Amino acid sequence: MTLRIPDSPGLRDLGITNWLVCKVVALRQRVPRAHLFTTLGQHRRLMWSWLPFGGVLMRGGKLSTRDTELVILRVAHLRDSQYEMQHHRRMARAVGIDDATQALIFEGPGAAGLTDRQRALLTGVDELLQTRTLSDATWAQLAEHLDRPRLIEFVMLASQYDALAATLSALRVPLDFDE
C-alpha cells in the first residue's frame, strides 16, 4: 500500500503544538507513532476542530463507554477499518467488552446472546450505514433504550466513525500496531 500522506512528518509539517500532541498520544497509546494524529496534524486547524468533537463523542458524551465502543466496533467491522479495529478492540476490552461479546457485535444484531439494548444499537448502526437514515421502526427500537440526547449522540457517533473510517482508508493511514 502506497501512503498518500507522509506517516512520519516532522516539526515543520506539524507545528510545535501538533508535534507535541502527537508525541503525547503515541506515548499514551504505547506506539512509536499515532498515525491518525500525525496525518490529521498536517492540517493544523482541521485537527484542532476535530479533536474536541471526537473527544466528546468518544468519552465525553451521554452514551455509556460500553455503548460507545459497541457502536464504534460495529462501524469499524462494517467498514473493514483495521485502524479503528486495532484501537477499539483494545479499548472495548478495557471497559469490559470481552472477545466473546466482540464476536457477537461482529456477527450483528441477529446474534444469539445479545441484550435487547445491544441488538437495538447494532440494528441502528447497520441501518444508518446502509441507508444513511433510520426507519421509524428502528428509531422506536432505539428510543426504548436511549433518551433524546443519546439518540442524537448515537447518530452523530456512528456517522463520525463512518466518516473517520473513510478518511483512514482514503488517506491510507498506516496501522499503529504490528499485528
Side-chain angles (χ1 to χ4, degrees):
M1 172 175 75
T2 304
L3 298 178
R4 292 189 166 153
I5 306 294
D7 73 331
S8 56
L11 184 59
R12 180 174 296 175
D13 298 311
L14 294 169
I16 186 70
T17 304
N18 286 1
W19 183 84
L20 286 169
V21 166
C22 291
K23 292 294 183 189
V24 168
V25 169
L27 283 171
R28 289 185 68 211
Q29 294 178 351
R30 297 183 177 106
V31 294
R33 249 177 242 97
H35 291 106
L36 171 61
F37 292 86
T38 60
T39 299
L40 295 182
Q42 293 177 64
H43 186 310
R44 297 173 193 178
R45 286 184 59 216
L46 180 64
M47 184 170 106
W48 284 101
S49 298
W50 171 77
L51 276 174
F53 176 67
V56 165
L57 288 172
M58 196 169 80
R59 291 293 180 262
K62 295 186 175 290
L63 287 172
S64 73
T65 306
R66 290 175 61 92
D67 286 348
T68 297
E69 289 303 327
L70 177 143
V71 168
I72 294 168
L73 285 174
R74 186 64 181 164
V75 171
H77 172 74
L78 293 173
R79 294 302 187 227
D80 194 28
S81 178
Q82 294 307 306
Y83 192 99
E84 288 178 343
M85 288 288 259
Q86 272 197 338
H87 283 273
H88 289 280
R89 289 203 67 171
R90 287 172 168 79
M91 295 167 83
R93 280 186 210 105
V95 298
I97 302 175
D98 61 19
D99 289 343
T101 304
Q102 289 185 32
L104 296 176
I105 292 166
F106 303 145
E107 189 176 332
L114 293 170
T115 67
D116 289 342
R117 182 184 186 95
Q118 290 168 329
R119 195 173 315 285
L121 292 169
L122 294 177
T123 298
V125 171
D126 287 12
E127 190 172 304
L128 187 59
L129 268 61
Q130 183 178 15
T131 68
R132 310 305 292 164
T133 193
L134 295 167
S135 67
D136 290 340
T138 300
W139 182 262
Q141 186 181 10
L142 286 165
E144 290 177 18
H145 304 281
L146 305 176
D147 61 9
R148 187 178 303 148
R150 285 173 181 82
L151 286 162
I152 295 166
E153 187 175 321
F154 166 82
V155 172
M156 291 298 293
L157 176 67
S159 299
Q160 140 61 18
Y161 273 86
D162 187 25
L164 185 57
T167 301
L168 290 161
S169 176
L171 298 180
R172 296 183 181 161
V173 175
L175 299 176
D176 288 343
F177 299 96
D178 295 327
E179 297 180 341

